[in-house]
């Protein structure tokens, strides 16, 4: 129901959100190509790479997902 209200009050919300999502995915993919195996999505958000605004919330989300899969660097980041 909340989604319906947002879309009714701001008709451009959906397309604007989607455009932003696609742009962030493009920036992340570009950076991943540049860094290869050294690319970490959590660090991408933590550092605000490629002009992206720093987001501790997004960074922590990705570190938690990686840590749950046994990624030691992510586990170390979360323990600090």
């Amino acid at each position: 129901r909340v989604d319906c209200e947002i879309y009714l009050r701001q008709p451009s919300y959906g397309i604007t959100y989607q455009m932003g999502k696609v742009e962030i995915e493009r920036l992340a993919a570009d950076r991943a190509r540049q860094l290869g195996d050294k690319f970490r999505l959590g660090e991408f958000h933590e550092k605000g790479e490629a002009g992206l605004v720093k987001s501790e919330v997004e960074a922590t989300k990705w570190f938690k997902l990686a840590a749950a899969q046994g990624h030691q660097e992510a586990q170390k980041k979360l323990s600090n």
Side-chain angles (χ1 to χ4, degrees):
R1 297 268 85 121
V2 173
D3 290 349
C4 292
E5 289 181 29
I6 289 172
Y7 292 120
L8 288 172
R9 290 182 187 163
Q10 298 174 346
S12 63
Y13 176 81
I15 190 70
T16 303
Y17 174 87
Q18 194 63 27
M19 289 172 63
K21 180 179 180 253
V22 168
E23 181 64 12
I24 290 171
E25 290 171 349
R26 186 190 65 76
L27 291 170
D30 287 348
R31 192 68 174 142
R33 276 192 292 280
Q34 292 171 358
L35 295 178
D37 291 340
K38 294 180 182 179
F39 178 76
R40 303 287 181 264
L41 192 55
E43 290 178 5
F44 178 78
H45 287 283
E46 180 183 50
K47 295 176 182 176
E49 292 184 11
L52 190 67
V53 174
K54 292 181 184 183
S55 174
E56 288 297 322
V57 173
E58 279 296 308
T60 301
K61 178 178 93 174
W62 292 108
F63 287 139
K64 284 180 179 178
L65 285 170
Q69 295 176 9
H71 194 276
Q72 291 181 354
E73 288 177 41
Q75 292 169 349
K76 187 176 176 181
K77 285 267 189 189
L78 292 171
S79 68
N80 291 336

